């Protein structure tokens, strides 16, 4: 695990977008696993700009999303289907047949999880996984305690995550359940890029980087991953000891 620290959110986002663009140029058929949330918005914006300038094409790439709320149909304004369309997929030349987001409204959620995991396998696994990190150290919707050998499954969200994510809903809490790609599936990605910005992520980043590898801090699993890079702004890195910052 190496960490790059940037002066601010914009610089961190630019570096993350450059890394994604570089992978795409090396291999136009890269298979991506992508996050939602506020953190990756700057990266997506830059990737769209690069596409509009003709610098990159996504037409041969494959895209999976990390998670989706259970019970939300794909056209629900707070769904991650809509988030990805509005912030990324709707502005680039991605092939709709190679865009995968878990269907939160599937009649049989367990079967949907199996279908999703099989689609990742059929695509040859994930080449590049981009992650945010929750204040509690979650990755995707793998909350503290998520087994490292878990696969795509239905999970119950923690109270803190439901409160933090409530803003998208006409309610004081986000939904209680979600579908998330599992820890083992994330770990098998050939490369992981984890993005974090802001002082409210500093404790989670420090626990992941400097603490023990433990299911109680899901992101700590990445310390055992052979090819993980953290993209941090100074605020997110503010609790880290200098020794680990590359
Ligand atoms: P955020 O979410 O980017 O909105 O902070 C990150 C996460 O919960 O994984």
């Amino acid at each position: 695990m190496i960490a790059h620290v940037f002066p601010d959110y914009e610089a961190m986002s630019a570096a993350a977008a450059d890394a994604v663009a570089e992978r795409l140029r090396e291999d136009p058929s890269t298979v991506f696993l992508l996050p939602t949330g506020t953190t990756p918005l700057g990266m997506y914006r830059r990737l769209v700009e690069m596409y509009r300038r003709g610098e990159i094409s996504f037409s041969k790439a494959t895209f999976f999303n990390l998670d989706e709320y259970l019970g939300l149909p794909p056209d629900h304004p707070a769904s991650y289907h809509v988030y990805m369309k509005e912030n990324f997929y709707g502005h680039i030349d991605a092939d709709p047949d190679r865009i995968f987001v878990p269907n939160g409204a599937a009649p049989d959620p367990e079967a949907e999880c199996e279908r999703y995991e099989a689609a990742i396998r059929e695509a040859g696994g994930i080449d590049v996984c981009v992650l945010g990190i929750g204040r509690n150290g979650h990755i995707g919707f793998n909350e503290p305690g998520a087994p490292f050998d878990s696969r795509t499954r239905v999970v119950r969200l923690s109270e803190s995550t439901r409160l933090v994510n409530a803003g998208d809903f006409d309610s004081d809490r986000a939904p209680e359940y979600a579908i998330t790609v599992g820890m083992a599936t994330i770990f098998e990605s050939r490369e992981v890029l984890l993005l974090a910005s802001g002082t409210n992520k500093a404790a989670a980043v420090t626990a992941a980087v400097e603490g023990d590898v433990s299911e109680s801090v899901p992101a700590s699993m990445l310390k055992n991953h052979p090819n993980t890079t953290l993209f941090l702004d100074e605020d997110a890195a503010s609790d880290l000891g200098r020794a680990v910052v590359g």
Side-chain angles (χ1 to χ4, degrees), residues 116-203:
Y116 202 73
E117 192 70 37
I120 292 175
R121 269 198 309 277
E122 277 159 30
I126 303 296
D127 294 313
V128 179
C129 169
V130 184
L131 297 172
I133 182 170
R135 296 176 205 192
N136 61 3
H138 74 202
I139 49 177
F141 272 143
N142 293 285
E143 300 281 34
F148 284 168
D149 63 358
S150 55
R151 296 287 169 183
T152 304
R153 67 204 186 287
V154 173
V155 289
R156 186 169 185 200
L157 299 179
S158 70
E159 191 66 3
S160 66
T161 296
R162 294 182 66 202
L163 288 169
V164 169
N165 290 6
D168 297 336
F169 298 89
D170 291 333
S171 162
D172 60 353
R173 281 173 180 67
E176 190 173 359
Y177 293 95
I179 292 175
T180 187
V181 169
M183 297 294 282
T185 315
I186 291 173
F187 193 79
E188 287 163 9
S189 303
R190 291 171 192 97
E191 180 172 18
V192 175
L193 314 176
L194 184 146
L195 281 50
S197 165
T199 49
N200 60 14
K201 299 294 174 66

Side-chain angles (χ1 to χ4, degrees), residues 37-150:
T38 52
T39 310
L41 288 173
M43 178 192 75
Y44 289 138
R45 195 177 69 241
R46 280 173 173 75
L47 288 169
V48 169
E49 286 164 7
M50 286 183 212
Y51 163 70
R52 287 190 176 140
R53 289 196 298 265
E55 294 168 11
I56 46 175
S57 168
F58 297 91
S59 64
K60 294 190 167 56
T62 299
F63 302 92
F64 289 89
N65 262 86
L66 278 160
D67 42 26
E68 177 62 287
Y69 292 108
L70 196 68
L72 259 50
D75 60 353
H76 189 288
S79 73
Y80 289 158
H81 279 81
V82 168
Y83 170 104
M84 289 307 294
K85 193 170 169 212
E86 286 183 350
N87 294 301
F88 193 42
Y89 300 143
H91 307 286
I92 59 172
D93 59 346
D95 177 348
D97 290 341
R98 285 203 287 271
I99 294 176
F100 299 86
V101 183
N103 180 3
D108 181 346
E110 307 298 337
E112 172 65 6
C113 294
E114 278 172 33
R115 183 196 70 83
Y116 202 73
E117 192 70 37
I120 292 175
R121 269 198 309 277
E122 277 159 30
I126 303 296
D127 294 313
V128 179
C129 169
V130 184
L131 297 172
I133 182 170
R135 296 176 205 192
N136 61 3
H138 74 202
I139 49 177
F141 272 143
N142 293 285
E143 300 281 34
F148 284 168
D149 63 358
S150 55

Side-chain angles (χ1 to χ4, degrees), residues 7-51:
D8 56 27
Y9 175 75
E10 293 302 328
M12 183 276 288
S13 300
D18 286 347
V20 168
E22 197 180 305
R23 303 307 177 272
L24 200 59
R25 288 196 194 98
E26 285 164 10
D27 178 6
S29 57
T30 296
V31 179
F32 290 98
L33 179 58
L34 295 177
T36 52
T38 52
T39 310
L41 288 173
M43 178 192 75
Y44 289 138
R45 195 177 69 241
R46 280 173 173 75
L47 288 169
V48 169
E49 286 164 7
M50 286 183 212
Y51 163 70

